[in-house]
Amino acid sequence: MSIPFIDLKTQYGLVEESVKTGIENVLQHGAYIMGPEIGELESRLSSYCAVRHAVGCASGTDALIMALMAFEVGPGDAVFTTPFTFMATAEAIALLGATPVFVDIDPHTFNIDPDDLRRKISDVKHSRKDLTPKGVIAVDLFGQPADYDRIEPLAHNNGLFLIVDAAQSFGATYKGKPVCSLGDVACTSFFPAKPLGCYGDGGMVFAHNDEMHKLLVSIRVHGMGEDKYENVRLGINGRLDSIQAAVLLAKFAIFPDEVAKRQAVADRYASLLADIKGLTTPTVAEGNTSVWAQYSVLAEDAAHRDQLMGQLKAADIPTAIYYPKPLHLQKAFADLKYETGDFPVCEEIGARIFSLPMHPYLSEKDQEAVAAAIRG
Ligand SMILES: *Cc1c(COP(=O)(O)O)cnc(C)c1O
């Protein structure tokens, strides 16, 4: 039997009863849209994240779009973010007519580099008369928090908002604080492969501020006012549906245990792979925790990566590259006029990185098989 990259089947075995009961409840009460499961999930997850408000929405992408809309981001605004992330992070900025301004990454955490962020904010202020610096979206790549103690003051001292893209890091902590309690607003995704996933699309926006909460609730349903046929601003159809919320309530019951199991799997990888020449295992910055959405390692270079991925494939072990092409080199962003060489750390890491099977139910035996295949 081959090793799955992510094992949602074993997980389903553990939650089957409660998922079925939850879905059956929705089918019986009939409130498919904005049923009682939405409020219940929002209240459970906001307390888990130690943040005042949570707004369930249709996807992680919609969570980002809703947050940017709440900050009235539009044409002429610059929003700083990393090019080493999933498309949605920068796409949300561009969809609203604003300009993503990319910032290089830290070579150890793969998250936005605060020193380069400082430079890029200054560049836009001093040499881009066409742009107004407006905000920062920091991404917690692979489940590890970005360097918020340095990013937050940089954002706020320059009058910029800070959005945390926690699509991969729900359940992680930064210096003891849940990541979704950081920034002005935090966004997460419940896409099935994320650490907390549903059985379709889903997402959530977290906010401390009552005013921000009201805005997000309005934007989620076409900019509604006091009732849904009064529209006081433009919004979207960004609702989470009741069935997905029921699935999430069932899965959330085992989530803290899964976070602990993911950490145990990551620790085991670290010791099994420690002495392999030319392979760099991931590190988490002191005082923080990752939820290990991916376990991503570095080969020496692209050729070495091809070789290692080939050895794993021959042993029937799946791997993946996140992300094969950084966003500044994607055709969709060609009009931003970035070139190869603009983000040297991101490009170098992108040529060396690949991800190993990672999920809470990965056995020691399977991890040993992964390590053996890498050794060759
Ligand atoms: C998955 C992901 C998103 C988008 O989430 P969806 O639910 O798929 O829309 C945004 N940002 C990052 C970093 C992601 O990994």
Side-chain angles (χ1 to χ4, degrees):
M1 228 181 64
S2 73
I3 299 170
F5 192 68
I6 292 179
D7 185 1
L8 294 175
K9 211 168 161 176
T10 299
Q11 184 195 53
Y12 183 57
L14 298 172
V15 293
E16 182 171 359
E17 291 286 308
S18 51
V19 164
K20 283 183 172 160
T21 310
I23 292 177
E24 179 63 21
N25 282 343
V26 176
L27 297 177
Q28 292 301 332
H29 68 52
Y32 312 118
I33 298 290
M34 295 310 287
E37 291 78 9
I38 306 296
E40 192 184 336
L41 183 71
E42 290 171 342
S43 118
R44 288 236 200 127
L45 299 196
S46 58
S47 29
Y48 176 75
C49 295
V51 49
R52 193 171 166 88
H53 298 292
V55 179
C57 61
S59 67
T61 306
D62 277 359
L64 291 164
I65 290 173
M66 284 165 50
L68 291 167
M69 288 176 82
F71 286 113
E72 298 184 7
V73 166
D77 292 334
V79 180
F80 301 87
T81 194
T82 162
F84 201 52
T85 177
F86 181 62
M87 176 63 177
T89 313
E91 182 183 39
I93 299 165
L95 271 176
L96 293 173
T99 302
V101 176
F102 292 121
V103 175
D104 211 346
I105 59 168
D106 176 275
H108 307 291
T109 63
F110 316 135
N111 286 327
I112 200 164
D113 172 5
D115 292 319
D116 199 42
L117 176 61
R118 175 182 293 116
R119 279 192 290 274
K120 295 290 156 46
I121 294 172
S122 164
D123 284 355
V124 169
K125 276 192 167 164
H126 296 110
S127 45
R128 289 291 300 265
K129 295 280 168 282
D130 56 325
L131 293 179
T132 310
K134 181 91 177 189
V136 176
I137 305 181
V139 178
D140 301 338
L141 201 71
F142 306 141
Q144 163 159 222
D147 189 353
Y148 291 106
D149 276 356
R150 295 187 61 208
I151 296 166
E152 184 145 18
L154 268 175
H156 290 166
N157 296 340
N158 283 289
L160 313 181
F161 63 73
L162 173 60
I163 294 175
V164 173
D165 181 344
Q168 301 182 11
S169 63
F170 181 84
T173 58
Y174 179 82
K175 303 200 172 163
K177 291 183 224 148
V179 288
C180 289
S181 71
L182 302 170
D184 299 303
V185 167
C187 300
T188 199
S189 162
F190 304 126
F191 179 79
K194 308 284 174 166
L196 178 61
C198 53
Y199 292 144
D201 279 304
M204 198 163 274
V205 190
F206 297 88
H208 296 280
N209 179 294
D210 295 349
E211 202 49 43
M212 175 56 70
H213 176 243
K214 266 172 76 180
L215 270 172
L216 291 166
V217 165
S218 166
I219 290 166
R220 171 168 66 180
V221 185
H222 305 292
M224 67 186 249
E226 289 306 308
D227 73 77
K228 72 173 170 177
Y229 295 111
E230 187 201 8
N231 307 99
V232 295
R233 60 179 60 80
L234 296 180
I236 59 174
N237 170 5
R239 294 174 299 240
L240 176 67
D241 67 71
S242 309
I243 287 183
Q244 296 307 335
V247 169
L248 287 162
L249 283 166
K251 286 209 192 182
F252 182 61
I254 61 166
F255 182 70
D257 180 54
E258 291 193 333
V259 172
K261 286 191 160 75
R262 285 176 178 277
Q263 184 59 50
V265 168
D267 290 342
R268 245 171 10 221
Y269 264 142
S271 61
L272 285 166
L273 305 174
D275 60 346
I276 299 182
K277 206 178 138 285
L279 190 84
T280 308
T281 54
T283 51
V284 174
E286 180 85 31
N288 302 341
T289 61
S290 174
V291 276
W292 303 102
Q294 302 294 342
Y295 192 87
S296 303
V297 296
L298 298 176
E300 283 175 316
D301 52 32
H304 185 222
R305 174 173 69 183
D306 283 351
Q307 180 203 325
L308 296 180
M309 288 176 73
Q311 285 166 208
L312 286 154
K313 189 164 185 223
D316 215 10
I317 295 166
T319 55
I321 297 178
Y322 300 108
Y323 291 90
K325 192 187 248 193
L327 296 187
H328 66 285
L329 301 176
Q330 293 286 355
K331 188 174 169 201
F333 293 121
D335 60 343
L336 298 176
K337 306 256 185 300
Y338 286 109
E339 290 169 8
T340 301
D342 284 347
F343 301 98
V345 181
C346 165
E347 290 166 31
E348 202 229 307
I349 298 293
R352 296 168 56 200
I353 204 159
F354 67 105
S355 304
L356 303 176
M358 179 73 212
H359 58 81
Y361 308 103
L362 194 58
S363 69
E364 190 161 358
K365 186 174 132 285
D366 285 351
Q367 289 190 269
E368 279 163 4
V370 173
I374 295 175
R375 279 175 208 282

